[in-house]
Amino acid sequence: GGFVGLRNEGATCYLNAVMQMLHHLPALRRAVYKIPSVMPPRGDVPSVTVALQRLFYQLQKGEECQSTSELLASFRWDSEEAMLQQDISDFCHMFLDLVEDEMKNTTMDGELDRLMKVNLRYTDEAPAVNWRKTRDDSSMLTVLHGVGECKDVLQAMDLQTQPEVIEGYDTEVHGKQEVHRSHKFTSLPPILMLNINRIGFDHNTFEPVKLHDRFEFSETMDLSGYIAPPEGFP
């Protein structure tokens, strides 16, 4: 067991990809197994975490292709939602929020944040008037752009963390100014989940296109250059 597939339940290839990825993260799999759970009465729909625990066990110990029908039922979607192809980034956020909610007020409260939460700092600067503003945010999924322009993750990180110039930004205090907007991480988790954006835009047809360019990642990467210094440091 441990290397079995998942059946497509109609339009669930996006869900299957996410479940296989999460299942193959040992630290996350162990955390999921440790979530206190109550088995539902026979015939009742289980909670998301119970369905996920069962699915992870089936993937780990099973000898044949497994079904995600019980997990889908735990979302309480109607038949139309269940058959709709979901955006994988939106689904990841929704799914991890559901698991995190069911971890609250248990012995595993906060464990998902500890394992996966990325903290970011966005900075707006107007050099002409020495104005600066920062905003902190967090996410469990980092969307990475640059496929087609960059050969690997580090080049895409370089591109994505370059300042963006915004003309005529209203700083309120100094009126409209040229502002340089950038962002860096303030902390990285044990598990960094990157969603490689492979959807581009064809300016001739004005339609989205799939980007099939080669995109690489190393087994080890030094991301220290993308960490923001503590507040008060330049």
Side-chain angles (χ1 to χ4, degrees):
F3 294 98
V4 298
L6 289 169
R7 287 196 294 274
N8 191 325
E9 304 292 348
T12 58
C13 53
Y14 68 94
L15 180 142
N16 292 0
V18 172
M19 291 306 111
Q20 289 283 17
M21 176 194 68
L22 296 178
H23 170 255
H24 283 89
L25 296 170
L28 179 65
R29 189 170 66 241
R30 287 192 295 268
V32 167
Y33 285 150
K34 290 180 181 178
I35 302 171
S37 55
V38 177
M39 300 301 291
R42 184 178 295 275
D44 284 6
V45 176
S47 66
V48 173
T49 50
V50 167
L52 183 61
Q53 288 169 338
R54 286 175 168 173
L55 181 61
F56 275 8
Y57 180 82
Q58 290 161 357
L59 286 173
Q60 193 171 358
K61 299 296 184 181
E63 298 293 340
E64 57 185 28
C65 190
Q66 301 295 322
S67 171
T68 57
S69 57
E70 186 177 60
L71 184 65
L72 284 165
S74 74
F75 299 154
R76 269 78 174 174
W77 286 346
D78 60 33
S79 56
E80 184 176 337
E81 287 176 304
M83 294 300 293
L84 184 66
Q85 178 78 35
Q86 305 275 343
D87 175 83
I88 200 164
S89 181
D90 291 343
F91 173 75
C92 276
H93 283 295
M94 181 278 293
F95 179 73
L96 293 173
D97 283 346
L98 287 175
V99 175
E100 186 178 29
D101 284 345
E102 293 191 7
M103 282 180 160
K104 288 178 179 176
N105 302 314
T106 75
T107 54
M108 298 303 289
D109 197 342
E111 184 65 7
L112 206 56
D113 275 357
R114 187 191 71 78
L115 285 173
M116 304 184 73
K117 187 169 77 171
V118 173
N119 292 304
L120 302 128
R121 176 166 299 137
Y122 293 87
T123 303
D124 291 343
E125 295 181 287
V129 293
N130 198 30
W131 175 87
R132 184 172 183 268
K133 182 177 73 172
T134 62
R135 175 177 63 87
D136 290 339
D137 200 1
S138 63
S139 176
M140 291 189 189
L141 181 68
T142 300
V143 179
L144 200 59
H145 303 276
V147 173
E149 302 172 71
C150 307
K151 72 169 188 176
D152 58 25
V153 167
L154 292 182
Q155 282 192 5
M157 287 278 197
D158 287 337
L159 178 68
Q160 198 152 309
T161 53
Q162 289 299 308
E164 171 192 5
V165 177
I166 304 173
E167 301 284 353
Y169 181 88
D170 188 359
T171 64
E172 297 181 358
V173 178
H174 301 287
K176 293 184 178 181
Q177 299 288 335
E178 179 184 283
V179 165
H180 298 178
R181 173 170 293 170
S182 61
H183 75 273
K184 284 195 171 186
F185 302 113
T186 54
S187 66
L188 291 171
I191 298 171
L192 176 61
M193 191 158 64
L194 299 176
N195 179 15
I196 310 301
N197 178 37
R198 284 190 171 273
I199 302 299
F201 184 75
D202 189 322
H203 293 279
N204 294 317
T205 62
F206 297 101
E207 292 182 351
V209 292
K210 182 71 175 290
L211 302 175
H212 296 283
D213 303 65
R214 182 180 177 86
F215 191 76
E216 302 173 354
F217 64 92
S218 303
E219 289 189 8
T220 59
M221 291 183 287
D222 182 1
L223 301 181
S224 59
Y226 309 105
I227 302 292
E231 278 293 326
F233 286 80

